[in-house]
């Protein structure tokens, strides 16, 4: 926790406006640090001040992820968590990170809304001597020294698992598929698409349309309505998350069709609402994306600040569920 703070003091002067603008959507469950004159840990008697910039509140998965972080990084566990919600906007995340630099937090963590465009602000954190930990989503940067560790699922693998199951079940039927993509430019949207496409290659499953539904239920529904208007031969939906799949279910039912039967649905996440729809027969298969990243984040933050070596990439393990497995798992499902 003893990290140089000289540059933080300089940065404090230039980022006051950013701090003010951030006020509306950030919260502080612990003690305020000063304007960057002293490290949070030193000022707070060993408490780790961690600034976290969350993507938003776009999905059930995100809500579970936020809860895991807020439940773990508590005062009781030795943390002063500063949390901000970027409302799915990269500029808000950059502003939040600059604000954390100004405040002189001990460590910054964030889940980047999109993959690219982070080098400048991460250089600022590095120059201020503040370590950065990525959770959930990766950044696309050639400079791996800009962050200490990346904790999250393998999104390409998730897409592959979804595609492999589709091939196992439906190859030979000439299925026409539509794809509900996640947020354009986000790592899970890019990687899940890549994984699914590579898994169905060589099969007779064909993706006839693909658009972003921005990981939300409302946009998933709207985009699915558009697909149904444009195509009368859809057999399969691959949704990059449960929420968009749940939106697609609403659109399919409104069109007088039966989700899970007339149109098969495969999604990713395995949050409770998705698992319930799977158990009810409205979704056919879900690949899990585990949102409970709080404990790993706390552990890595402590190790980094203690000067210990940490793994650059921590891959979170994911399972997959068919309808029977969902019925079994639901009663004890944590999220
Ligand atoms: O980055 C993880 C993805 O983001 C989840 O699959 C999705 O639900 C969320 O919004």
């Amino acid at each position: 926790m003893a990290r140089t703070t000289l540059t933080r003091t300089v940065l404090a002067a230039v980022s006051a406006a950013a701090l003010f603008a951030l006020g509306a959507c950030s919260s502080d469950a612990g003690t305020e640090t000063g304007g960057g004159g002293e490290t949070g840990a030193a000022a707070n008697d060993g408490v780790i001040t961690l600034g976290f910039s969350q993507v938003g509140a776009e999905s059930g998965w995100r809500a579970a992820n936020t809860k895991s972080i807020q439940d773990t990084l508590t005062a009781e566990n030795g943390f002063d968590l500063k949390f901000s919600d970027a409302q799915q906007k990269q500029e808000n995340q950059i502003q939040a990170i600059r604000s954390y630099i100004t405040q002189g937090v001990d460590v910054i963590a964030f889940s980047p809304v999109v993959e690219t465009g982070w080098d400048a602000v991460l250089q600022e954190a590095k120059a201020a001597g503040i370590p950065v930990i990525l959770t959930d989503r990766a950044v696309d940067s050639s400079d791996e020294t800009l962050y200490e560790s990346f904790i999250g699922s393998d999104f390409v693998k998730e897409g592959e698992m979804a595609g492999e199951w589709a091939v196992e079940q439906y190859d030979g039927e000439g299925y026409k598929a539509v794809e509900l993509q996640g947020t354009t430019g986000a790592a899970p949207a890019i990687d899940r698409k890549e994984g699914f496409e590579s898994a169905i290659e060589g099969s007779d499953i064909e993706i006839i349309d693909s658009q972003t539904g921005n990981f939300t239920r409302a946009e998933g529904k709207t985009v699915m309505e558009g697909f149904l208007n444009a195509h009368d031969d859809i057999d399969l939906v691959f949704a990059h998350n449960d929420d968009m799949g749940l939106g697609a279910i609403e659109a399919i039912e409104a069109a007088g069709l039966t989700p899970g039967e007339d149109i098969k649905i495969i999604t990713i996440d395995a949050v409770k609402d998705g698992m319930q729809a799977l158990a009810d027969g409205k979704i056919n298969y879900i690949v899990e994306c585990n949102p409970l990243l709080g404990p790993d984040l706390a552990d890595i933050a402590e190790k980094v600040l203690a000067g210990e070596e940490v793994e650059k990439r921590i891959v979170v393990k994911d399972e997959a569920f068919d309808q029977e497995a969902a019925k079994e798992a639901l009663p004890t499902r944590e999220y």
Side-chain angles (χ1 to χ4, degrees):
M1 284 146 274
R3 291 187 171 258
T4 176
T5 56
L6 179 64
T7 5
R8 292 185 200 180
T9 313
V10 176
L11 286 164
V14 291
S15 300
L19 243 181
F20 174 74
L22 188 70
C25 52
S26 60
S27 65
D28 183 353
T31 322
E32 275 293 332
T33 50
E38 199 177 8
T39 61
N44 291 328
D45 198 17
V47 171
I48 295 172
T49 303
L50 186 145
F52 188 88
S53 171
Q54 181 59 288
V55 169
E58 73 282 6
S59 62
W61 188 98
R62 191 63 57 194
N65 178 247
T66 292
K67 185 172 184 315
S68 170
I69 287 158
Q70 290 179 333
D71 286 355
T72 312
L73 303 177
T74 59
E76 211 175 30
N77 290 338
F79 287 89
D80 174 12
L81 174 65
K82 294 173 184 298
F83 183 91
S84 63
D85 173 341
Q87 296 164 0
Q88 295 231 71
K89 292 197 175 82
Q90 182 175 34
E91 60 268 31
N92 290 347
Q93 286 202 298
I94 290 174
Q95 207 171 64
I97 293 167
R98 292 210 165 109
S99 157
Y100 294 143
I101 295 169
T102 302
Q103 292 173 69
V105 299
D106 296 310
V107 56
I108 291 170
F110 76 115
S111 175
V113 62
V114 290
E115 268 191 342
T116 55
W118 299 103
D119 281 37
V121 73
L122 293 182
Q123 289 287 1
E124 289 168 32
K126 187 176 175 184
I130 302 176
V132 172
I133 300 168
L134 304 176
T135 66
D136 166 35
R137 299 181 180 180
V139 296
D140 184 1
S141 170
S142 54
D143 185 354
E144 286 205 344
T145 68
L146 294 178
Y147 61 92
E148 305 293 324
S149 185
F150 165 37
I151 307 160
S153 294
D154 180 342
F155 297 136
V156 176
K157 176 105 192 119
E158 289 173 349
E160 277 170 5
M161 285 162 78
E164 280 161 10
W165 191 83
V167 170
E168 221 176 272
Q169 300 296 314
Y170 309 126
D171 190 21
E173 310 279 335
Y175 264 31
K176 308 279 185 232
V178 291
E179 181 181 31
L180 288 165
Q181 293 182 42
T183 305
T184 305
I190 296 165
D191 293 352
R192 288 170 184 169
K193 182 174 185 50
E194 180 192 322
F196 188 83
E197 282 176 353
S198 81
I200 63 167
E201 210 180 298
S203 78
D204 67 0
I205 299 169
E206 183 196 353
I207 299 176
I208 57 168
D209 218 333
S210 179
Q211 274 179 49
T212 180
N214 212 18
F215 282 126
T216 69
R217 202 175 291 204
E219 286 180 68
K221 182 180 178 191
T222 308
V223 174
M224 189 66 210
E225 283 166 355
F227 286 157
L228 288 164
N229 285 333
H231 312 278
D232 58 9
D233 54 352
I234 301 169
D235 301 298
L236 174 67
V237 175
F238 170 48
H240 288 191
N241 79 344
D242 286 353
D243 280 81
M244 292 189 294
L246 292 163
I249 288 173
E250 290 176 28
I252 292 166
E253 285 176 337
L257 298 166
T258 308
E261 287 180 23
D262 296 327
I263 297 181
K264 310 287 194 290
I265 302 177
I266 300 174
T267 67
I268 293 176
D269 274 357
V271 293
K272 267 202 183 126
D273 287 357
M275 292 289 273
Q276 188 60 60
L278 181 60
D280 293 344
K282 295 183 178 193
I283 292 180
N284 301 81
Y285 194 64
I286 302 186
V287 177
E288 181 183 47
C289 180
N290 191 332
L292 306 180
L293 307 182
D296 274 342
L297 173 57
D299 181 51
I300 295 297
E302 279 165 3
K303 285 183 175 151
V304 164
L305 292 173
E308 288 176 34
E309 278 288 311
V310 295
E311 285 170 74
K312 199 79 191 178
R313 175 74 171 105
I314 295 166
V315 182
V316 177
K317 283 254 172 335
D318 296 316
E319 294 178 51
F321 301 87
D322 61 16
Q323 293 171 343
E324 284 313 306
K327 283 179 203 157
E328 274 173 43
L330 256 176
T332 54
R333 195 84 185 140
E334 256 188 90
Y335 52 90

